[in-house]
Amino acid sequence: MLLHQSSGRWRLGLGLSLLTVFLWGILPIALTVTLQVLDVYTVIWFRFLASFILLGVYLGIRGKLPKLEQLYSASGKLLAIATLFLGINYFLFMQGLALTSPANAEVLIQLATLLLGLGGLVIFKEHYRLSQWIGVSVMTCGYLLFFREQLTNLITAHNTYILGSFLIALGAAAWAIYALAQKQLLQSLSSSSIMLIIYGGCALLFTPLARVKSLFILDNFHLGMLIFCALNTLIAYGAFAESLEHWEASRVSAVIALAPIVTLISVAVVSVIAPAWTPPEHFTLIAILGAGLVVTGSVAIALGKAD
């Protein structure tokens, strides 16, 4: 099978990856506010449906809707895998989050970026230099320091907490499978066409679980937050999908690994400006050192020259 090759426009790939990190980093705050009035499945369903409609309208206006012959040339199995596993990722993460803590969920979901990077090395024959493998070690040590308390909680946790952590870890694996399938699909379809199909498919998957009537009783503030979550999904996943067109999956995954740091910095800022939205996080000197190591390792992996 002919494997997808990146375009080599690494600066564009880096920029799109950083946009994805920023949007995914601030998303948990908006989701926290939205989940005050809506259940998780309705929020997920609305995000996918709104993204599908908006992207479909945009592509229709530009005359770039995928044609039937393009869909026939694409791998139906890969499209189904990408759609199913992204849906599974959302489902398992939300279920796991209900049984564990947000901070613990943040560290465990990073298994997704690690698995994506390894998948890029194994499946797409990407390569790391020695400096990049050192970057992997530095980033891993950084996460161990940054999330030391959460990892300790995981080891000493009760059964419900462990079950939640297990579901999140499975969700991370599901996301990595989605992302690798997404990259290979770029061999035959544009990133926008792929995401249109995936958005529509995932919206259908969550339709039976959604409580549509609850959307009609939202106040303007929470409705605005819900719309922001939907736009975030559309733009962030669009940027992520396009970044895989121009840059290696192993490098994209290294940049995406910065998302939890953005989340916790955002929480710290928002908790001061609008404390009713989210409680503050308290960082130790060890956690700050860990964050610095994560950033250093990620930069080393992403910007290191390939063999």
Side-chain angles (χ1 to χ4, degrees):
M1 180 177 65
L2 186 62
L3 297 175
H4 175 262
Q5 299 296 319
S6 302
S7 71
R9 299 170 66 187
W10 69 268
R11 291 181 180 84
L12 178 57
L14 173 60
L16 291 167
S17 299
L18 289 173
L19 175 60
T20 304
V21 166
F22 174 73
L23 291 173
W24 281 350
I26 62 176
L27 177 62
I29 299 174
L31 282 175
T32 299
V33 175
T34 306
L35 291 173
Q36 294 172 357
V37 294
L38 289 174
D39 65 280
V40 293
Y41 304 112
T42 303
V43 173
I44 293 173
W45 170 80
F46 182 86
R47 289 169 63 193
F48 279 130
L49 181 63
S51 298
F52 172 74
I53 293 173
L54 291 173
L55 182 58
V57 171
Y58 172 76
L59 293 178
I61 292 174
R62 298 191 63 188
K64 292 188 176 181
L65 284 170
K67 297 178 174 58
L68 286 177
E69 54 267 25
Q70 290 177 302
L71 297 179
Y72 287 141
S73 66
S75 170
K77 290 182 180 179
L78 276 180
L79 277 172
I81 288 171
T83 302
L84 179 62
F85 277 89
L86 184 60
I88 290 173
N89 163 256
Y90 270 69
F91 180 80
L92 290 176
F93 181 80
M94 290 297 187
Q95 291 286 354
L97 186 60
L99 300 174
T100 180
S101 68
N104 185 64
E106 285 287 353
V107 65
L108 287 176
I109 201 63
Q110 288 314 300
L111 288 170
T113 58
L114 176 62
L115 292 173
L116 173 59
L118 292 176
L121 296 175
V122 174
I123 297 175
F124 293 100
K125 311 302 180 185
E126 299 168 4
H127 301 282
Y128 278 172
R129 295 174 67 94
L130 176 61
S131 61
Q132 290 172 292
W133 282 113
I134 293 174
V136 172
S137 301
V138 170
M139 185 171 67
T140 302
C141 290
Y143 269 117
L144 289 174
L145 289 175
F146 193 83
F147 292 105
R148 185 182 59 168
E149 294 180 2
Q150 282 69 41
L151 291 170
T152 302
N153 289 339
L154 178 60
I155 294 171
T156 60
H158 51 76
N159 291 337
T160 302
Y161 199 92
I162 293 175
L163 175 60
S165 300
F166 178 69
L167 292 176
I168 292 171
L170 285 180
W175 187 89
I177 293 172
Y178 143 76
L180 292 169
Q182 156 85 55
K183 182 169 177 62
Q184 181 58 25
L185 282 166
L186 291 168
Q187 186 73 21
S188 53
L189 285 173
S190 68
S191 59
S192 57
S193 297
I194 296 168
M195 293 316 302
L196 181 68
I197 296 168
I198 291 176
Y199 290 149
C202 286
L204 286 175
L205 286 175
F206 283 95
T207 296
L209 301 172
R211 298 176 181 175
V212 181
K213 291 182 180 179
S214 61
L215 298 176
F216 297 100
I217 59 174
L218 293 178
D219 56 40
N220 290 335
F221 173 69
H222 287 99
L223 179 60
M225 281 293 181
L226 180 62
I227 293 173
F228 171 79
C229 291
L231 293 175
N232 189 296
T233 298
L234 174 65
I235 299 171
Y237 268 95
F240 169 73
E242 189 65 17
S243 70
L244 291 174
E245 174 68 32
H246 304 292
W247 214 17
E248 293 94 336
S250 53
R251 298 177 189 242
V252 172
S253 70
V255 177
I256 299 300
L258 297 174
I261 305 300
V262 176
T263 298
L264 292 168
I265 292 173
S266 301
V267 168
V269 173
V270 172
S271 64
V272 174
I273 300 173
W277 288 16
T278 182
E281 290 278 355
H282 301 286
F283 302 110
T284 64
L285 288 177
I286 292 179
I288 294 172
L289 172 62
L293 291 176
V294 169
V295 173
T296 302
S298 177
V299 170
I301 297 168
L303 300 184
K305 292 182 179 179
D307 287 332

